[in-house]
Amino acid sequence: AVVCYRKQYAYVFAQLPITLQEICQFFIWRNIGSDAATCNNTNRAFSLFCTVSVLYVPIGYTLWARQTAPTVELRKKINVVLSACVALFIAFMAYTIIGLAAAWYPYCTFPGAWGHQLWPMLTPPLPPVINDKLNTYLRWLLTHMFHWAWYWAYMALIMISIMLVTGAILVRATMVVLGPFLIVPLYFLVGAEFGSVWCWAAGVGAVAMLVEPWMLDRFPWLVEMLPETEQKPHLQDGNCNITPLDTWQSKLGGPLRMLRGGRNAAELIVP
């Protein structure tokens, strides 16, 4: 609500999927089974919707980066990343739908060994045409290679997309610290349950979005840490109306500064 009030709609689209998957987890817990065999249709539906929300996260960040891009050249590079994000979304959803239609992908969320939700999107099985021809060792090896390739392709796109966001220094720092530096130890600690645990940390990004305008105002040295191109953002096509920091301060005062920022973090930076 605060971000919408600021008219920072790109922030909303970037953070909305993380919020939606949290809602999905709530309904999954209310329809949880002990294993994949005790799963009801409500669980399967919200598990699938959770997958869509999670897959959309790098797309949302890339769209946010595209809106805040200071130059047309950067936008073109961001479009390449956006294409990769969309390709990953389509590829995994196609794999999921094929598995569901052929009944070899049991799409059910249930508690793992550590008591956290074990999402089916994090344990995709190999198709029977491959799985049935492998011995136990090769099946285990290929399955884990498949899972790790999928995990890191996804995390790499999230890290690249968030680093392309212009001006969002606090959000970028938060996601980098809570990204691969947290995923790896989580995986070795709780296995595939890391997804439902990491989403708690990803939610910190929402808090960073809320406080960042106030932080840039309160601590000007944060602005100096940004590259010069981000300290003086501009779009060649004229689609970004920059609000200088002094003008923004003159319009707002006190605690309202945190509630009413510019349209994106870049607008709060000294020109």
Side-chain angles (χ1 to χ4, degrees):
V2 171
V3 175
C4 286
Y5 181 70
R6 293 176 181 166
K7 297 183 179 180
Q8 296 172 320
Y9 301 120
Y11 278 38
V12 176
F13 286 106
Q15 194 62 30
L16 185 61
I18 296 178
T19 304
L20 290 177
Q21 64 85 20
E22 293 285 358
I23 296 174
C24 288
Q25 285 196 73
F26 169 78
F27 286 102
I28 289 173
W29 278 121
R30 294 179 63 88
N31 296 272
I32 202 77
S34 58
D35 52 46
T38 59
C39 196
N40 60 30
N41 290 332
T42 302
N43 183 303
R44 295 186 181 93
F46 278 103
S47 295
L48 186 60
F49 190 47
C50 184
T51 298
V52 174
S53 300
V54 172
L55 285 174
Y56 181 79
V57 171
I59 297 177
Y61 281 134
T62 307
L63 291 174
W64 180 20
R66 191 175 186 277
Q67 182 177 355
T68 61
T71 64
V72 173
E73 289 74 14
L74 181 57
R75 274 196 171 192
K76 292 179 180 179
K77 296 178 180 179
I78 292 174
N79 287 339
V80 176
V81 179
L82 179 60
S83 299
C85 294
V86 173
L88 180 66
F89 182 97
I90 294 174
F92 193 86
M93 287 307 302
Y95 188 86
T96 299
I97 292 172
I98 292 173
L100 286 170
W104 51 262
Y105 198 162
Y107 224 77
C108 176
T109 301
F110 53 91
W114 292 85
H116 304 288
Q117 289 186 9
L118 188 58
W119 293 344
M121 68 173 296
L122 295 179
T123 56
L126 297 173
V129 66
I130 298 176
N131 191 66
D132 295 344
K133 296 181 180 180
L134 301 175
N135 58 41
T136 302
Y137 173 75
L138 287 178
R139 185 181 300 115
W140 179 90
L141 180 62
L142 194 58
T143 298
H144 280 75
M145 289 176 62
F146 176 37
H147 290 176
W148 269 97
W150 149 232
Y151 298 160
W152 285 108
Y154 176 80
M155 288 305 303
L157 288 177
I158 286 185
M159 292 300 105
I160 292 172
S161 60
I162 195 63
M163 291 303 295
L164 288 172
V165 177
T166 298
I169 183 171
L170 184 60
V171 179
R172 283 188 293 184
T174 300
M175 294 306 295
V176 169
V177 171
L178 298 178
F181 294 105
L182 184 62
I183 289 294
V184 173
L186 270 180
Y187 179 82
F188 286 106
L189 179 63
V190 299
E193 296 174 58
F194 78 87
S196 59
V197 177
W198 178 75
C199 69
W200 300 345
V204 177
V207 178
M209 290 179 186
L210 291 177
V211 303
E212 186 166 62
W214 175 82
M215 291 286 290
L216 293 177
D217 178 28
R218 184 71 174 176
F219 305 105
W221 56 268
L222 289 174
V223 177
E224 299 175 1
M225 295 176 61
L226 294 170
E228 185 177 352
T229 55
E230 296 189 28
Q231 294 184 28
K232 300 179 180 181
H234 63 279
L235 285 179
Q236 295 180 11
D237 57 9
N239 289 335
C240 186
N241 298 318
I242 305 301
T243 301
L245 186 60
D246 55 352
T247 302
W248 181 73
Q249 287 177 320
S250 65
K251 294 180 179 178
L252 309 171
L256 287 179
R257 291 177 180 174
M258 187 179 71
L259 299 178
R260 297 184 63 184
R263 292 186 179 178
N264 53 63
E267 296 181 1
L268 310 180
I269 300 173
V270 178

